Amino acid sequence: MGELKKEDVEKYLENNPQFAKDYYDRKLRGEAVGALFNNKQLNLKDGVSFHDLTKLEETDILLELVWEIQNASNMEKTIHKVLQRLALFLQASYCSLFLCRSRNGIPELATRLFNVTKDSKFEDNLVAPESEIVFPLDIGIVGWVAHTKKTFNVPDVKKNTHFSDFADKQSGCTTSNLLATPIMFGKEVLAVIMAINKQNAPAFSKEDEAIFTKYLDFIAIVLQQHHINYLHGVESRKSQILLWCANKVFEELTDIERQFHKALYTVRIYLNCERYSVALLDMTKEKEFYEQWPILLGEVPPYKGPKTPDGREVNFYKIIDYILLGKEEIKVIPSPPVDHWSLVSGLPTYVAENGFICNMMNAQADEYFIFQKGPVDETGWAIKNVLSLPIVNKKEEIVGVATFYNRTDGRPFDEYDEQITETLTQFLGWSVLNTDTYDRLNKLENRKDIAQEMLMYQLQCTPHELQTILVNVVILFFQPWTETEMWCLTKAMKEELPDPTALELYEFHFSDLPVSEHELIKSGIRLFVELNAVEKFKVPAEVLTKWMYTVRKGYRDITYHNWRHGFNVGQTMFTLLMTGKLKKYYSDLEAFAMVAAAFCHDIDHRGTNNLYQMKSAAPLAKLHGSSILERHHLEFSKTLLEDESLNIFQNLNKRQFENVIHLFEVAIIATDLALYFKKRTMFQKIVDATEQMQSDDERIKYIITDQTKKEIIMAMMMTGCDLSAITKPWEVQSKVALMVANEFWEQGDLERTVLQQQPIPMMDRNKAEELPKLQVGFIDFVCTFVYKEFSRFHKEITPMYDGLQNNRVQWKTQADAYDEKMKALEELNKKHENDVGVKKGTEGREDNGPTKSKTCTVL
Ligand SMILES: [Zn+2]
C-alpha cells in the first residue's frame, strides 16, 4: 500500500458517507460542539479525538453550560441541551428525564423529556401532560433507581429483573442496555436521568459512567434550582392561605355556607386550578318522624347506601361550583341531582364515606370512578385531573367534600397541592366549629329572647284566677290519696264544671261562639274528666286547672290563632276519639296526651305564618330551621310541663312521661300544613287496608300492633282538628273564615309596611272579594281529602265531611256570584270604552285627561 493521499481520503469519505458520519460523531468536531452552544465557535483542530478534546475544549463546553444554567429560564429547555450533549458524548441513542413526584402519599416518576437524541427538537421531546408515561417506584429500572437512589449501568436489560418494557411498547423503541442515575436534593429524589442503547458498543463503559456523572451535576443544579423555586411558590401560596385563614377565622361567623364561600373565593388564585366545587353534606343524624314513617311501614326500604364514618347518610344538599377558567363564575346548585356532573363519578361520596384524600390524574380513564366524558356544561370545560378532600370539623365529622379540578399547568396535582388544599379544608373545618359554636350561642341568645318574651307575656295563673274556675276550697287544698277520695273529687269537679251535653262538647258541630273564653277553660278541664284521665293518671285538680288556665293565657289575643282556636282543636280531638270512635286504637294515656297536645298546638302563635317568620328574620326563625312556629308551640308546651305546679303528667313513670312527650312532638309538628302532603298517601293506604277487613277486631289489631300506623293516624287527626272550622255549620264557618282571612290580611299589611313586599292574594285585603274563590280552592285542594278519608275510615266521622260539602256549596255560590259580577263589570267597561271611543271619534282630541278620569268615577 502506497502513501495515502488527501484526494484518496476525500474520495473514500464521499463514497462512504455512513463511515464519515460515524467517524465525526465519534471523534467529535469542535465546530459541531460550538454550534450547539449559541453559535459560539470552539477553535478545534481537524481530527481531534474526544479524548484530546476533553482536555482543552471541554473546559469551554463546561463554561458555556454554566452560562446556560445561569440564564436558564426554562428548566426543561436547559436540561434538553445537556441531554443532547450527553447523547453525543456517550454515543447513546436516547437520553430521557423522568421527574419524581408524589400523589396520595405514593411517589411516582413521570416522563418529562423523552428520547432526546443528539439533534432532536426540544418540542418533540417535551412530554405534554396528557401523554406522560407514569411509573410507580416498584416498576421498571427507572423506578428501581429512584427507589435505591443508586446509579445503574445495565449492559443487558433482558437480564435485569427490574426491567419493564412498558415504555418501549408506548414509544416503539427497543431498549437493549442503559445507564441510569437519580438526581438528588438532599435525601429526596428529584428525577432520574437515563441514557439508552450505546452505539457501536454492546454496553456503556466505565468511562461513560464517569462522563455521565460529571454532566449530571449540571442537570442537578438546574433541577434543584427549579425545585427550590417551585417550593418557594408552594410556601408562599400556603402562607397566603394560612395568613388569610388566621385573619378570618374569628370573623364572619354567620353561617357555614357564607364562611366556606368567602374562604374559597378569596384564596382562589393560590389554588392553581381551573375549577373547584364544594359539596355540602347534610349533618342530620336522625330523620324526622314523618321521614321515618315510610321506612317503618316497609313502603320504602331502609337506607343501605354509603354513610359517613359517624353514621350519617351521604346526602349532598348543596354544591357550590367555582369556575376560574376564562370568565370567573360561581354556580350554586341546591339539592343537586345524583347525576350532577360533580357527583356522578361517585368520588365525592367515596371521600365522604372514607375521609380519604383522593388525587387522580387522567380521571377520565379511571375505571372505578366514571367521570363525565367531554364537556360538563355549556362552557365546554372537561375534567382531566381531580383532587378531592374531605372537610372535617373538630368533632371529626365530615361536613363536606372539596374537589379541585385540572391544575392550571395541565400536570396532575402533586403532594404540595395536596398539602395546600388540606390546609384550606382544615381551616374550613375549624370555621365550621366556630359557626357551630356561634350558632349555639346564637340559639341560646334567641332562646333567652324568646324566654323573656314568653315571661313578659306569660303570667302564670294566679290563685285568684284559679278560684274563678274551681270555687270549692276542699278541692283546692285537698290532695286525694285513696281511690274513694279521688272518686269524690272527680264527682265534685264534674258538678262544678260545664255540662258536656248542654255545650255539645261531644258533637262535631260544636261551636265555641256562644261560650265565653273563661267557660272554655272549664270545658277543657271537663274533657279530661270525661276521658277519665284525671282519675286514672292521678292528675291533681289544682295542677290541671292551673295548666289549663296557663295554656289559655299562653294564647295571645290575636284575630284567629287565639285560645278559641286552641280550644276548638282540643275539642275536635276529643270528639274524634269519642264520637268518631278512634279511641279504640289508643290507650287512655295516649288519648290524654293527644287532647292535651291539641289544646297546646298553637300556643303563643303570633298571627303570622312560618314564611313571615323567615322573611322578617324573627328570633324564632333563627332558632328553628323548619316548621318554625310548630317547633315553638312544642317547646312552649314542654316548658310548661317542666314546671311541677303545671305538670299534669307528674304522676306518670319515666317511660310513660317520655311517651307523652314523644306524642306531643309528633302531634304538634304534624300541624305544619307543609308536612300534610307528606303523610296523606300513607294515611290513605291505612284506610284502604282497613276497608278490606271483615271484622273490627282485625282492624284494631292491624293498627294497634304498629306504632307507626297509630302515629300517622294521630298526625292526620291533628290536621283534621286544625282545619275543623271548615266543617262547621255555615253560620259558624262563614264567621270563622272571616277571622282567618282577617289575620291573613293583617300579615299582608305587615308585609307591605314592614317588609315592603307585595302580599300574596290570600293575604291582600284589596283582594278580599276573592275570599269565596280561595275557600273553594282550599276545600278542594286540602280539606276534602282529609274528611273524605276519615269518613271512609270511620263512618262516625261523616258529619264532618257533610259539613264540609255544605260549606263548599255555599262558598261556590258566592264565588260564582262574584265571577258573574266581575264579568258583568267587564262587559260594562268594554261597552263604556267603546262609547268613549265613539265619542272621541266625534268630538276630536279636545277632551283627553280630566274627562277620562271623570268617566272612570261613574264606573
Ligand atoms: Zn292551629
Side-chain angles (χ1 to χ4, degrees):
M1 260 205 241
E3 202 185 322
L4 198 64
K5 283 181 190 155
K6 200 179 168 191
E7 295 80 50
D8 295 335
V9 176
E10 246 178 42
K11 198 176 174 190
Y12 178 81
L13 286 176
E14 273 169 19
N15 292 334
N16 298 280
Q18 187 56 43
F19 173 83
K21 186 176 179 292
D22 290 349
Y23 176 83
Y24 284 107
D25 282 351
R26 223 159 0 103
K27 292 289 180 179
L28 188 68
R29 289 184 303 139
E31 291 85 347
V33 177
L36 291 167
F37 292 89
N38 303 309
N39 303 321
K40 262 197 155 192
Q41 292 293 314
L42 289 179
N43 210 3
L44 294 183
K45 287 175 195 153
D46 260 13
V48 171
S49 77
F50 175 67
H51 302 286
D52 297 329
L53 169 104
T54 54
K55 300 282 185 300
L56 176 68
E57 281 77 26
E58 204 192 353
T59 321
D60 224 356
I61 296 175
L62 294 181
L63 275 172
E64 277 166 317
L65 276 176
V66 172
W67 181 84
E68 176 76 25
I69 289 161
Q70 275 178 347
N71 294 284
S73 56
N74 182 328
M75 175 272 285
E76 283 97 344
K77 219 163 186 169
T78 310
I79 294 183
H80 185 257
K81 278 192 180 169
V82 183
L83 290 184
Q84 277 187 323
R85 210 85 3 96
L86 259 181
L88 201 60
F89 291 162
L90 296 174
Q91 291 165 54
S93 296
Y94 314 104
C95 286
S96 293
L97 165 73
F98 299 81
L99 285 186
C100 195
R101 67 177 174 226
S102 187
R103 294 184 299 125
N104 303 310
I106 301 162
E108 64 185 20
L109 286 148
T111 49
R112 181 60 65 92
L113 289 166
F114 196 59
N115 284 358
V116 178
T117 69
K118 64 186 189 325
D119 44 18
S120 59
K121 275 192 189 150
F122 170 67
E123 291 73 21
D124 296 338
N125 298 140
L126 182 69
V127 181
E130 56 276 12
S131 21
E132 279 181 353
I133 303 173
V134 180
F135 293 88
L137 293 205
D138 56 355
I139 289 183
I141 294 174
V142 64
W144 185 243
V145 171
H147 179 72
T148 56
K149 301 173 184 176
K150 283 182 185 152
T151 302
F152 285 91
N153 185 351
V154 184
D156 183 358
V157 294
K158 287 193 193 71
K159 287 182 183 161
N160 189 299
T161 49
H162 297 289
F163 179 71
S164 154
D165 61 357
F166 183 72
D168 278 1
K169 278 181 183 158
Q170 300 280 308
S171 62
C173 305
T174 310
T175 304
S176 316
N177 52 71
L178 59 80
L179 195 54
T181 192
I183 306 285
M184 305 296 293
F185 180 70
K187 286 179 176 171
E188 203 181 324
V189 181
L190 291 183
V192 171
I193 301 287
M194 197 177 258
I196 293 165
N197 294 356
K198 174 81 178 175
Q199 292 171 326
N200 303 318
F204 291 100
S205 63
K206 279 275 168 215
E207 208 176 17
D208 291 332
E209 278 180 49
I211 298 168
F212 194 48
T213 321
K214 183 156 49 177
Y215 279 82
L216 289 175
D217 288 342
F218 289 99
I219 296 182
I221 292 168
V222 178
L223 274 176
Q224 284 164 2
Q225 196 184 334
H226 174 76
H227 189 64
I228 289 165
N229 272 336
Y230 183 68
L231 285 186
H232 177 75
V234 167
E235 282 310 312
S236 69
R237 281 160 68 204
K238 210 194 285 185
S239 55
Q240 287 292 343
I241 288 174
L242 277 173
L243 253 172
W244 186 86
C245 293
N247 270 329
K248 295 293 163 189
V249 75
F250 295 115
E251 281 179 28
E252 291 286 325
L253 302 179
T254 46
D255 59 277
I256 295 173
E257 278 171 42
R258 286 256 296 270
Q259 181 84 335
F260 276 24
H261 185 60
K262 181 125 190 174
L264 287 165
Y265 185 71
T266 314
V267 300
R268 67 195 184 285
I269 48 164
Y270 309 114
L271 297 173
N272 276 7
C273 65
E274 292 181 353
R275 191 161 177 159
Y276 55 93
S277 68
V278 177
L280 299 171
L281 272 172
D282 192 345
M283 293 306 288
T284 35
K285 289 201 172 126
E286 270 180 34
K287 289 190 160 191
E288 294 284 355
F289 60 85
Y290 47 84
E291 288 169 330
Q292 280 174 346
W293 282 342
I295 301 164
L296 291 168
L297 283 178
E299 286 176 3
V300 173
Y303 182 84
K304 289 211 181 74
K307 285 188 171 176
T308 59
D310 61 318
R312 278 171 293 132
E313 295 180 7
V314 173
N315 174 21
F316 294 107
Y317 71 91
K318 188 175 278 186
I319 290 174
I320 311 171
D321 180 21
Y322 298 81
I323 306 170
L324 303 181
L325 189 72
K327 198 171 130 260
E328 275 194 19
E329 201 187 334
I330 298 162
K331 290 183 183 170
V332 179
I333 304 110
S335 322
V338 281
D339 61 349
H340 185 265
W341 68 264
S342 70
L343 297 179
V344 74
S345 66
L347 180 65
T349 307
Y350 179 79
V351 172
E353 203 180 351
N354 299 293
F356 297 150
I357 295 177
C358 285
N359 183 355
M360 316 177 67
M361 65 177 288
N362 196 8
Q364 301 259 340
D366 199 83
E367 285 169 4
Y368 188 74
F369 300 107
I370 310 299
F371 286 89
Q372 182 162 323
K373 305 265 186 284
V376 301
D377 55 22
E378 67 285 351
T379 61
W381 177 85
I383 300 169
K384 276 184 264 173
N385 301 318
V386 183
L387 173 57
S388 195
L389 309 87
I391 303 170
V392 182
N393 67 12
K394 277 268 169 87
K395 285 186 260 168
E396 307 263 311
E397 297 158 335
I398 300 173
V399 297
V401 173
T403 308
F404 304 86
Y405 300 97
N406 302 4
R407 209 168 95 156
T408 37
D409 65 357
R411 306 273 165 204
F413 294 102
D414 62 17
E415 58 187 311
Y416 305 105
D417 296 306
E418 290 173 13
Q419 282 172 20
I420 287 171
T421 48
E422 207 180 350
T423 306
L424 180 67
T425 50
Q426 227 167 47
F427 159 71
L428 293 177
W430 298 339
S431 75
V432 171
L433 183 78
N434 267 318
T435 51
D436 268 7
T437 326
Y438 181 78
D439 271 0
R440 253 203 312 280
L441 284 174
N442 227 355
K443 268 191 183 164
L444 281 178
E445 266 213 345
N446 286 323
R447 221 180 269 278
K448 227 172 71 199
D449 287 354
I450 292 160
Q452 270 169 354
E453 259 184 86
M454 267 165 77
L455 276 174
M456 293 273 280
Y457 200 80
Q458 184 65 44
L459 285 167
Q460 265 197 33
C461 166
T462 64
H464 171 73
E465 285 170 337
L466 194 61
Q467 281 188 20
T468 63
I469 304 286
L470 295 171
V471 286
N472 196 325
V473 182
V474 175
I475 294 169
L476 271 177
F477 300 101
F478 172 70
Q479 288 289 325
W481 293 109
T482 64
E483 292 283 317
T484 330
E485 283 167 355
M486 195 69 208
W487 180 83
C488 289
L489 173 69
T490 317
K491 192 166 166 286
M493 279 176 85
K494 275 184 180 171
E495 279 163 14
E496 265 189 67
L497 295 167
D499 174 21
T501 322
L503 281 185
E504 300 188 309
L505 288 177
Y506 277 87
E507 303 300 330
F508 285 115
H509 64 249
F510 163 82
S511 168
D512 65 286
L513 298 177
V515 191
S516 74
E517 291 192 353
H518 196 256
E519 199 68 4
L520 288 179
I521 302 175
K522 289 186 186 180
S523 306
I525 299 169
R526 179 78 212 210
L527 294 184
F528 290 113
V529 178
E530 293 298 308
L531 274 178
N532 204 23
V534 180
E535 216 169 321
K536 186 159 183 181
F537 302 106
K538 301 196 168 41
V539 190
E542 191 184 340
V543 172
L544 179 60
T545 312
K546 264 183 124 177
W547 177 80
M548 197 77 246
Y549 210 112
T550 309
V551 169
R552 181 263 166 274
K553 289 178 84 180
Y555 279 90
R556 301 188 178 195
D557 284 323
I558 50 178
T559 314
Y560 175 68
H561 287 98
N562 49 37
W563 162 236
R564 285 183 179 275
H565 170 65
F567 179 84
N568 273 306
V569 172
Q571 185 271 336
T572 314
M573 178 55 81
F574 172 81
T575 310
L576 278 174
L577 287 166
M578 308 302 277
T579 314
K581 300 276 188 288
L582 294 174
K583 170 71 179 67
K584 61 186 165 196
Y585 308 119
Y586 298 97
S587 68
D588 288 340
L589 182 60
E590 285 166 333
F592 179 23
M594 283 155 78
V595 175
F599 278 131
C600 293
H601 88 284
D602 266 337
I603 199 161
D604 201 39
H605 199 290
R606 288 95 200 276
T608 46
N609 66 8
N610 282 336
L611 198 60
Y612 185 84
Q613 311 304 317
M614 282 196 271
K615 286 200 283 193
S616 64
L620 276 182
K622 287 182 201 150
L623 194 59
H624 306 299
S626 63
S627 305
I628 299 168
L629 284 165
E630 290 74 17
R631 283 181 210 282
H632 175 62
H633 306 317
L634 172 67
E635 289 302 316
F636 201 120
S637 317
K638 280 157 74 174
T639 309
L640 294 187
L641 294 176
E642 278 164 22
D643 184 332
E644 278 307 281
S645 74
L646 297 174
N647 186 5
I648 52 175
F649 303 108
Q650 59 181 244
N651 287 322
L652 302 182
N653 65 35
K654 191 167 171 276
R655 193 188 50 77
Q656 284 176 313
F657 186 77
E658 282 167 1
N659 189 25
V660 165
I661 294 297
H662 174 69
L663 292 179
F664 259 65
E665 282 168 0
V666 176
I668 295 180
I669 303 301
T671 58
D672 181 358
L673 261 192
L675 306 178
Y676 158 72
F677 295 96
K678 296 192 185 199
K679 69 191 176 200
R680 60 190 243 169
T681 6
M682 289 188 268
F683 177 64
Q684 194 168 35
K685 278 187 185 158
I686 298 172
V687 178
D688 285 344
T690 53
E691 209 172 33
Q692 305 300 316
M693 292 172 188
Q694 301 303 318
S695 72
D696 214 29
D697 285 348
E698 199 184 344
R699 274 188 283 274
I700 295 173
K701 200 179 157 213
Y702 171 71
I703 291 165
I704 64 165
T705 52
D706 188 344
Q707 188 62 26
T708 309
K709 293 196 185 84
K710 284 168 68 175
E711 286 179 16
I712 292 168
I713 297 168
M714 178 182 78
M716 198 48 99
M717 285 166 80
M718 286 300 292
T719 305
C721 296
D722 209 9
L723 307 177
S724 63
I726 202 87
T727 69
K728 298 286 174 180
W730 174 246
E731 316 81 74
V732 180
Q733 155 61 193
S734 51
K735 290 196 182 86
V736 178
L738 259 178
M739 287 191 249
V740 180
N742 264 299
E743 196 175 283
F744 280 151
W745 293 334
E746 285 157 19
Q747 177 176 329
D749 296 344
L750 283 174
E751 285 178 6
R752 243 191 299 262
T753 54
V754 180
L755 305 180
Q756 263 128 43
Q757 285 176 2
Q758 174 61 32
I760 56 167
M762 187 173 85
M763 299 196 175
D764 189 349
R765 64 170 73 249
N766 301 323
K767 293 183 178 141
E769 284 193 290
E770 289 180 26
L771 178 64
K773 197 180 84 186
L774 291 169
Q775 287 294 95
V776 174
F778 183 57
I779 289 171
D780 292 346
F781 189 56
V782 180
C783 309
T784 306
F785 175 89
V786 180
Y787 301 104
K788 196 173 171 184
E789 289 305 302
F790 266 120
S791 319
R792 195 155 71 88
F793 189 39
H794 274 214
K795 63 176 189 323
E796 295 85 350
I797 305 174
T798 316
M800 293 188 99
Y801 185 46
D802 292 343
L804 175 82
Q805 284 179 306
N806 179 51
N807 290 331
R808 192 190 183 282
V809 173
Q810 298 283 351
W811 287 120
K812 187 78 175 79
T813 314
Q814 286 197 13
D816 289 347
Y818 172 71
D819 277 353
E820 283 297 315
K821 194 177 126 195
M822 291 311 285
K823 230 165 124 188
L825 263 177
E826 209 176 295
E827 269 167 27
L828 202 65
N829 218 352
K830 256 190 203 159
K831 192 166 167 279
H832 181 78
E833 264 172 27
N834 286 338
D835 289 352
V836 172
V838 173
K839 244 188 180 176
K840 267 189 188 167
T842 52
E843 290 175 12
R845 292 175 188 203
E846 277 167 33
D847 55 6
N848 276 337
T851 328
K852 204 176 178 187
S853 62
K854 254 186 220 163
T855 56
C856 280
T857 53
V858 178
L859 282 177

